């Protein structure tokens, strides 16, 4: 864990890494994660570019349809940092709750 914290000390480092990865068709979570990171650092144009890649994937399974619905939600608010931060916070809280984990305070800036 410490090695990752050293490699990615702040959100812009994470965003730079995620948005620089090559696009791989069929790996929609790569583009989704890159879009979220770009939106969180205040680059809505880059975020929307990555979200559009997710939306271009063929909806071959229910989980892809769900992923694309989430993508549409965040694509719409990509330029509103506070709204994106709130969306991410709710998503993390929901996942942690489903896993029966304690809530955490996110360090999103």
């Amino acid at each position: 864990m410490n090695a990752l914290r050293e490699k990615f000390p702040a959100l812009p480092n994470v965003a730079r890494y995620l948005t620089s990865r090559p696009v791989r068709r069929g790996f929609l979570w790569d583009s989704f994660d890159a879009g979220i990171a770009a939106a969180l650092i205040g680059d809505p144009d880059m975020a929307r570019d990555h979200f559009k890649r997710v939306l271009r994937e063929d909806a071959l399974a229910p989980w892809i349809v769900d992923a694309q619905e989430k993508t549409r939600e965040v694509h719409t608010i990509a330029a509103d940092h506070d709204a994106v931060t709130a969306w991410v916070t709710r998503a993390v809280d929901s996942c942690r709750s489903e896993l029966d984990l304690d809530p955490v305070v996110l360090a999103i800036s």
Side-chain angles (χ1 to χ4, degrees):
M1 187 62 93
N2 288 337
L4 286 175
R5 286 190 179 133
E6 288 176 19
K7 186 174 182 177
F8 304 110
L11 190 54
N13 303 93
V14 175
R16 198 169 21 261
Y17 170 75
L18 292 175
T19 58
S20 70
R21 293 184 299 182
V23 175
R24 301 181 299 166
R25 184 132 177 94
F27 289 80
L28 67 83
W29 292 119
D30 287 358
S31 293
F32 182 82
D33 294 343
I36 293 291
L40 287 172
I41 64 164
D43 192 339
D45 292 333
M46 182 179 291
R48 287 187 184 113
D49 286 344
H50 285 280
F51 293 144
K52 287 176 187 172
R53 292 178 185 144
V54 174
L55 297 173
R56 284 194 296 262
E57 292 288 335
D58 294 327
L60 301 174
W63 68 268
I64 298 173
V65 173
D66 291 343
Q68 289 176 330
E69 286 175 13
K70 290 177 184 175
T71 301
R72 282 185 197 90
E73 285 178 44
V74 75
H75 181 279
T76 303
I77 60 170
D80 184 340
H81 183 268
D82 291 339
V84 173
T85 300
W87 189 95
V88 169
T89 300
R90 283 190 307 274
V92 170
D93 287 345
S94 174
C95 288
R96 291 186 65 83
S97 176
E98 287 184 32
L99 295 170
D100 204 24
L101 298 172
D102 292 332
V104 294
V105 176
L106 299 179
I108 301 174
S109 55

